[in-house]
Amino acid sequence: MKVGFLSLGCPKNLVDGEVMLGLAEQAGHEITADSSSADVLVVNTCAFIDAAKQESVDAILEMAQHKRDGRCMRLVVTGCLAERYRDELKREIPEIDAVLGTGEVPGIVAAIENRTSAPVAPVTFFGTSLKAGSTRSTSLESGGTPRPTYIYDANTPRRLTTPKHFAYVKVAEGCDYTCSFCIIPTLRGAYRSRPAESIVEEARGLAARGVKELILISQDTTFYGIDRGERGALARLLRDLNAVDGLEWIRLLYLYPTTITAETLDAMADCEKVCKYIDLPLQHASADVLRRMRRPGNRDVYTALLNKIRHRMPAVTLRTTFIVGFPGETDVEYEELCDFVREVDFDHVGVFTYSHEEGTRAHAYADDVSPRVKRQRRDVLMSLQGDRVERRQRARVGQHVRVLVDGPSPEHPLVMQGRLAGQAPEIDPVVYLTDCDPAAYAPGRLIDAEITGATGYDLAVRPLLPA
């Protein structure tokens, strides 16, 4: 059958979608980008905040229209929204034929084919096995609520949907933290690390397929191995990946302030392929807000950590995210956050307005910061950061840099764009290549260039050597 697939949300959800695509292809189905011609439509959903839930519901309704129009025979909904609202989705949108939560990724083929089981090889995880097509891969909490336990391995089929020169690799799944604003532990289960051998094997396979940049992801990448009692596991993993032939860049996303160890920083500093890039979502700087968020640390602790990171890697790029408008956030607490941003001078900052999510501990708090104030605080903080970044970018004109070419710009198809080691795909600014023939610079190529200009967050560069 022809299967159309739409994946929403974060890179972690994207990897789940790529695994489902791989399993569908392995079973003999054809993947199509044309939803109007698909026999089966799959929507891989996100449910982290209200805006993500609404986007997911809108996508499901759009795909349901194809089924009503008669071409599509089945509609399958997967991912976090399916994990969280299984019964409600089936009740409110009758066009849905199957719902698979985050622990049911191997069941995608059975869902596509309208079967309850699939006679294929088992998928192995944690010393047990689950037949691909079985309905669930879960453990039980003390109260009897099923929690997902599935995680893919190096032998799991996977169809990459990113450009062929970079790929995300999940080093772990789930989360053990109890941040009061976050529903992820409920949706994704307890933290569970993949064996290092599986990750390195997958990395070798991806490098053989032309991947130049490997992006390691999980809910907390610096927690890797701790759940297995493996001290220093992430540092060893980085050194092993650094030795994989064909890889050029290794990037870490989603680090956590209490699990960044000296061993990890040493490995990042020592390994030439590891990008000197720290993605550290701090969420706030006020000790009182952080306490209500059930997050560790305070402004002084964070400043000391960031100074330690910069001491070990002087050229490091620092990225963080903050939440404004958390219940009870006062003007004084917000101003402390602004002062912290001025003091630390981050390279990249993302600011989100608090979303009052049912199922989280914070839902018991009064959502007492108005939407208007939340938006205003976000805009002011982003403007503050934007001014600082613009000044810093202008000061970089004339520097020589290494650029990974990504391909034609989505906004300007005749202009090539790329990234520096301090820029992650999709979330950070980009660089535009000028004074060159676009046809001579294939995606995935690393070039030496000179920064010639800056516009807002983005940079313009010219290659230093002829193509």
Side-chain angles (χ1 to χ4, degrees), residues 86-103:
R86 175 184 309 269
D87 295 336
E88 292 89 338
L89 284 169
K90 294 172 71 174
R91 182 175 62 248
E92 297 297 329
I93 308 178
E95 291 85 358
I96 296 174
D97 297 287
V99 178
L100 301 179
T102 59

Side-chain angles (χ1 to χ4, degrees), residues 2 199 292 461:
K2 285 188 176 182
I199 298 169
R292 295 196 297 275
V461 303

Side-chain angles (χ1 to χ4, degrees), residues 26-299:
Q26 184 187 59
H29 299 293
E30 176 186 349
I31 307 302
T32 178
D34 180 11
S35 58
S36 64
S37 69
D39 301 305
V40 180
L41 288 167
V42 181
V43 183
N44 190 30
T45 61
C46 179
F48 185 51
I49 58 176
D50 277 342
K53 288 188 288 186
Q54 188 59 55
E55 181 185 23
S56 293
V57 170
D58 290 345
I60 296 169
L61 292 174
E62 181 181 350
M63 296 303 106
Q65 184 61 49
H66 288 295
K67 187 178 178 185
R68 290 193 292 271
D69 290 344
R71 165 65 183 179
C72 173
M73 296 182 293
R74 287 183 64 75
L75 175 59
V76 180
V77 177
T78 69
C80 290
L81 195 75
E83 182 72 33
R84 191 171 180 183
Y85 298 112
R86 175 184 309 269
D87 295 336
E88 292 89 338
L89 284 169
K90 294 172 71 174
R91 182 175 62 248
E92 297 297 329
I93 308 178
E95 291 85 358
I96 296 174
D97 297 287
V99 178
L100 301 179
T102 59
E104 301 169 283
V105 170
I108 187 61
V109 174
I112 288 170
E113 297 175 355
N114 192 19
R115 294 185 289 105
T116 57
S117 62
V120 296
V123 178
T124 302
F125 59 100
F126 300 123
T128 63
S129 66
L130 173 73
K131 293 276 186 192
S134 298
T135 57
R136 207 143 173 90
S137 160
T138 60
S139 62
L140 291 179
E141 296 183 89
S142 57
T145 303
R147 300 187 74 190
T149 59
Y150 172 78
I151 185 169
Y152 79 107
D153 62 27
N155 298 315
T156 307
R158 181 179 169 195
R159 173 181 169 136
L160 297 182
T161 57
T162 53
K164 66 179 183 180
H165 61 283
F166 72 82
Y168 297 98
V169 170
K170 265 193 205 182
V171 300
E173 179 62 279
C175 185
D176 286 352
Y177 294 114
T178 58
C179 302
S180 63
F181 55 82
C182 185
I183 194 69
I184 292 300
T186 300
L187 300 180
R188 292 280 176 177
Y191 195 95
R192 48 205 187 271
S193 300
R194 291 174 58 189
E197 297 80 5
S198 174
I199 298 169
V200 174
E201 181 183 351
E202 182 181 14
R204 291 194 183 107
L206 290 169
R209 295 165 65 178
V211 169
K212 301 298 183 184
E213 179 181 9
L214 200 69
I215 307 171
L216 307 184
I217 57 174
S218 72
Q219 291 305 131
D220 170 12
T221 303
T222 41
F223 196 81
Y224 174 77
I226 294 176
D227 60 306
R228 299 163 65 96
E230 299 173 354
R231 178 178 172 81
L234 181 59
R236 291 191 296 275
L237 176 63
L238 292 176
R239 296 184 189 277
D240 289 343
L241 292 173
N242 194 65
V244 174
D245 291 337
L247 295 181
E248 298 284 353
W249 285 356
I250 300 165
R251 187 183 306 279
L252 285 74
L253 295 184
Y254 311 116
L255 313 184
Y256 198 79
T258 58
T259 49
I260 297 179
T261 64
E263 292 169 298
T264 296
L265 292 179
D266 286 344
M268 293 185 72
D270 294 343
C271 295
E272 69 277 4
K273 294 181 182 179
V274 175
C275 297
K276 310 326 178 206
Y277 177 96
I278 296 285
D279 172 40
L280 185 64
L282 294 176
Q283 311 304 1
H284 216 279
S286 163
D288 288 340
V289 174
L290 288 166
R291 185 168 55 252
R292 295 196 297 275
M293 287 181 169
R294 298 176 67 92
R295 297 277 296 184
N298 54 48
R299 177 177 176 178

Side-chain angles (χ1 to χ4, degrees), residues 395-409:
R396 300 183 69 180
V397 172
Q399 291 181 1
H400 290 188
V401 291
R402 193 81 166 146
V403 177
L404 178 66
V405 178
D406 278 332
S409 165

Side-chain angles (χ1 to χ4, degrees), residues 288-319:
D288 288 340
V289 174
L290 288 166
R291 185 168 55 252
R292 295 196 297 275
M293 287 181 169
R294 298 176 67 92
R295 297 277 296 184
N298 54 48
R299 177 177 176 178
D300 291 339
V301 169
Y302 289 171
T303 299
L305 171 62
L306 295 168
N307 288 340
K308 179 180 177 181
I309 292 170
R310 280 177 163 150
H311 176 75
R312 190 64 184 88
M313 292 183 288
V316 69
T317 297
L318 292 176
R319 173 181 174 79

